[in-house]
Amino acid sequence: MNQKVPTSRDLALSSLDLDASNPRFGDPVGGNQSQRWVLDKIVEEFGVDDLLSSMSVNGYFSAEPIVVREKDGGRYVVVEGNRRLAACLMLTGDARADNQKNRALKYVEVWKEHNSPQLDPIPAIVFAPGAIQKNLLSYLGVRHIASSKSWDSYAKAAWVARVIKENQLTVREVASMIGDQHRTIERLLQGYHVIQQLIASGDFRPEDSVRRGRGSVSDYPFSWVYTILGYSAARKYLGIEGQDDVTDAEPIQKPNLSKGGVLVRAMFGDAKAGRNAAVTDSRQLGTLASVLVNPEKLALLEQGKSVDEIERISQPTEDQLRSGLAGSRDTLSQLIARVEESPLAPAVASTFVDSAGRVRNLASALEQRIKGMAGV
């Protein structure tokens, strides 16, 4: 067999293995999971009903071959097309799909009604082991990182980390293989290693996150991690500013791990501690980064204050007075106009007398203090 180019072949379903290390699964689960577990994971996380519906009527489209990596012993790991393989296994009653029999039942009936169109064997592009590995990596990288059919950000980062670790490649080599000209890989990889280190150290528990994510990691929005690391202030706070080796699996020095915990709790909240996130959306990440390097603001953040509260508290007294007095004046003017237009019944009005008096007293006290400062 020519080891330099992939070959096209029809492969029996029984010779194909689902990829237990699929980057879309999120946190690494390793390759020791059973094929039944992997199939169930695919069905539950990504769904296959659309494929079951189509294949039960049309069979397998020969124009859409799966992509596999050849292993020893005449077996193949599917690296592109795991959902399609799962659907085929469910329709043909493979033992690996036993847990999905009820879901597949109606589609199996349709498949049989249409005279069981071709599902086994299925067309495949086969990448042989050894010399062809970089070609396969290039194919997957272009398809899932650089193209419109890309994985979500965490899946991309996990894939890049695994490729570099298992194939002794440099970041530059991987970037070159997939045509990354914007250093996207570097940012993803650094974010991946930072969050994995914080999880391993116990400074971040994804399940305690209040802010939820999507895609391969639903516990928290991973994209926020590498986004905030794009700010020099955040990197400086964590002590990783100027680090050249983004492949370092432990980028944060041990004394700074607790700071990493402060940062992720500020972004995602902490349900276990009953604490909300300090930011409401990703547009505030830049402001959060600036808070980290201001000792007074950082102290407020560590107390659980939100970014909005910190900015308000940190305003100069002059600015707070200006905005506060303007807001109070507008509110009181609106209330006066409202009660003139719609007078209250005496019994209802009497319930507001004390509150109005307290507002008057506070306004008078503030007026006297300002006059004293002005020497009036």
Side-chain angles (χ1 to χ4, degrees):
M1 182 192 301
N2 187 342
Q3 295 290 318
K4 295 183 179 180
V5 294
T7 59
S8 296
R9 281 183 266 168
D10 289 339
L11 298 176
L13 296 180
S14 61
S15 69
L16 299 169
D17 290 331
L18 296 158
D19 184 6
S21 299
N22 192 323
R24 295 178 71 193
F25 287 170
D27 288 331
V29 296
N32 296 321
Q33 298 292 343
S34 71
Q35 286 289 288
R36 185 173 297 186
W37 181 93
V38 178
L39 188 144
D40 291 342
K41 179 79 169 177
I42 291 170
V43 173
E44 293 163 7
E45 295 289 334
F46 311 112
V48 293
D49 285 3
D50 57 330
L51 294 173
L52 290 170
S53 178
S54 173
M55 290 181 178
S56 64
V57 175
N58 303 297
Y60 195 97
F61 287 110
S62 59
E64 296 183 358
I66 60 173
V67 179
V68 303
R69 183 179 69 251
E70 189 173 1
K71 300 196 302 181
D72 295 332
R75 299 202 63 77
Y76 306 86
V77 176
V78 177
V79 294
E80 175 69 28
N82 280 277
R83 280 205 321 133
R84 280 171 277 163
L85 175 57
C88 289
L89 297 178
M90 291 169 68
L91 288 171
T92 57
D94 189 283
R96 289 172 283 181
D98 281 352
N99 293 340
Q100 303 298 330
K101 283 184 177 179
N102 290 337
R103 181 187 293 270
L105 184 60
K106 66 178 180 180
Y107 299 107
V108 172
E109 292 175 353
V110 172
W111 181 56
K112 291 179 178 178
E113 288 173 1
H114 285 79
N115 299 314
S116 304
Q118 177 70 40
L119 291 175
D120 190 10
I122 58 176
I125 297 174
V126 181
F127 283 83
I132 202 63
Q133 181 72 354
K134 285 191 177 182
N135 288 357
L136 175 56
L137 295 178
S138 296
Y139 171 86
L140 293 175
V142 170
R143 184 170 178 83
H144 293 301
I145 293 184
S147 79
S148 59
K149 294 184 178 181
S150 63
W151 290 318
D152 62 75
S153 58
Y154 187 91
K156 292 177 183 178
W159 181 82
V160 171
R162 193 176 85 191
V163 164
I164 290 174
K165 180 179 179 180
E166 294 180 356
N167 298 279
Q168 289 78 52
L169 298 173
T170 66
V171 174
R172 180 173 296 182
E173 286 174 321
V174 176
S176 177
M177 285 193 305
I178 66 174
D180 175 24
Q181 300 178 356
H182 304 289
R183 305 188 73 174
T184 302
I185 284 178
E186 293 184 23
R187 295 189 296 114
L188 287 172
L189 195 57
Q190 187 174 54
Y192 177 81
H193 286 315
V194 163
I195 205 68
Q196 289 300 317
Q197 184 183 11
L198 292 175
I199 292 172
S201 68
D203 290 280
F204 176 49
R205 286 167 43 89
E207 61 270 28
D208 292 339
S209 174
V210 175
R211 182 78 57 197
R212 311 309 289 179
R214 293 181 296 178
S216 57
V217 175
S218 58
D219 284 336
Y220 62 95
F222 171 73
S223 63
W224 288 25
V225 178
Y226 71 80
T227 296
I228 200 163
L229 292 179
Y231 292 97
S232 175
R235 297 195 304 274
K236 182 178 180 181
Y237 174 69
L238 295 176
I240 60 176
E241 178 77 337
Q243 280 191 4
D244 296 325
D245 184 12
V246 295
T247 65
D248 185 353
E250 296 184 341
I252 304 175
Q253 296 296 313
K254 287 186 178 180
N256 290 331
L257 286 172
S258 60
K259 293 183 177 181
V262 170
L263 175 56
V264 292
R265 284 192 293 274
M267 289 193 293
F268 307 141
D270 187 343
K272 189 175 182 179
R275 182 168 170 176
N276 287 323
V279 294
T280 56
D281 58 52
S282 60
R283 291 173 294 183
Q284 291 186 310
L285 292 178
T287 304
L288 174 59
S290 67
V291 166
L292 298 172
V293 291
N294 182 304
E296 294 180 359
K297 293 183 178 181
L298 178 59
L300 293 171
L301 182 71
E302 292 173 339
Q303 293 170 20
K305 301 293 185 184
S306 71
V307 165
D308 287 337
E309 290 174 317
I310 292 170
E311 291 301 293
R312 186 167 58 252
I313 293 170
S314 302
Q315 271 188 322
T317 303
E318 178 184 351
D319 293 341
Q320 290 191 46
L321 275 172
R322 184 178 292 108
S323 61
L325 288 173
S328 299
R329 183 188 60 217
D330 291 343
T331 298
L332 290 171
S333 296
Q334 292 172 14
L335 291 174
I336 290 171
R338 186 62 184 268
V339 296
E340 287 180 348
E341 294 173 2
S342 304
L344 299 172
V348 175
S350 64
T351 64
F352 292 103
V353 170
D354 287 344
S355 294
R358 285 195 291 272
V359 171
R360 180 199 61 214
N361 292 338
L362 287 171
S364 177
L366 179 60
E367 180 186 17
Q368 292 305 313
R369 283 176 172 77
I370 292 174
K371 282 183 174 179
M373 296 174 189
V376 177

